[in-house]
Amino acid sequence: MNYCTQCGAKVVLRIPEGDSHPRHVCPQCGEIHYLNPKLVIGCIAEWEDRILLCRRAIEPGYGLWTLPAGFMENGESTAQAAMRETGEEACARVAIEQLFALVSIPHINQVHLFYRARLLNADFGAGEESLETMLFDEHQIPWDKVAFRSSIFCLEAYFMDRRSGAFGFHESTLPPP
Ligand SMILES: [Zn+2]
């Protein structure tokens, strides 16, 4: 960040009084600009034991497969974000079942949340940000063509739980690659 979004003055990086982290502080209007992690929220959407994946039409990960997910918007709940993203990327309607995985990714300042969800019908397709969407059995998952480590973590945990007969909650922190 270079300029204050309140008054346009050039910001400086310093630790405000009583704080512990360096912040972008505006020397003109005094505004302290806090930067915090972003939430990325998505679904493991099931239909008859198969999982919905989207092949990305945008970077990062163009051409690779991923769980439908995206940045949470202001004014929505986490479950609403998961349903909205699944609608936007896979034109699919889902019922949320259970919060399934939380993945912290400190080096890119993101937290990824995934819900287990059920497709309401088999009516889905590629949204604006997808090249194609498809249902996969476990043995069909293109593991070497999955875009994000959080998706891989989530899918592995999902299939592990499914084999064990009970779904739990899974948490992980991803180190830098
Ligand atoms: Zn300012």
Side-chain angles (χ1 to χ4, degrees), residues 4 7 26 29:
C4 177
C7 74
C26 177
C29 75

Side-chain angles (χ1 to χ4, degrees), residues 1-110:
M1 170 168 224
N2 290 314
Y3 297 98
C4 177
T5 52
Q6 297 299 309
C7 74
K10 205 164 170 38
V11 296
V12 294
L13 198 61
R14 64 175 177 81
I15 300 175
E17 199 177 321
D19 204 337
S20 54
H21 285 66
R23 312 282 182 192
H24 291 104
V25 180
C26 177
Q28 184 164 293
C29 75
E31 184 79 12
I32 302 171
H33 300 276
Y34 296 94
L35 298 175
N36 302 102
K38 287 195 184 323
L39 273 173
V40 171
I41 304 183
C43 278
I44 314 176
E46 310 167 25
W47 179 258
E48 294 173 348
D49 285 342
R50 289 179 294 164
I51 298 302
L52 184 67
L53 295 183
C54 308
R55 200 153 76 83
R56 289 175 62 79
I58 51 170
E59 295 292 353
Y62 181 94
L64 300 177
W65 293 90
T66 187
L67 294 166
F71 289 106
M72 186 178 186
E73 300 284 1
N74 290 345
E76 66 185 358
S77 71
T78 53
Q80 285 169 339
M83 290 188 282
R84 177 184 51 74
E85 285 292 341
T86 307
E88 287 175 8
E89 296 190 358
C91 306
R93 293 185 61 223
V94 291
I96 297 292
E97 307 236 297
Q98 174 215 354
L99 183 59
F100 181 70
L102 186 160
V103 184
S104 292
I105 316 177
H107 64 279
I108 55 169
N109 305 317
Q110 291 183 5

Side-chain angles (χ1 to χ4, degrees), residues 52-54 86-93 119 122-128 130-134:
L52 184 67
L53 295 183
C54 308
T86 307
E88 287 175 8
E89 296 190 358
C91 306
R93 293 185 61 223
L119 284 172
D123 188 14
F124 59 87
E128 293 252 311
S130 304
L131 296 170
E132 57 179 318
T133 51
M134 237 171 84

Side-chain angles (χ1 to χ4, degrees), residues 153-173:
F153 170 79
C154 199
L155 286 164
E156 285 177 345
Y158 173 86
F159 291 120
M160 189 179 69
D161 277 9
R162 198 163 77 176
R163 279 192 295 275
S164 79
F167 288 103
F169 178 73
H170 301 266
E171 188 185 346
S172 178
T173 299

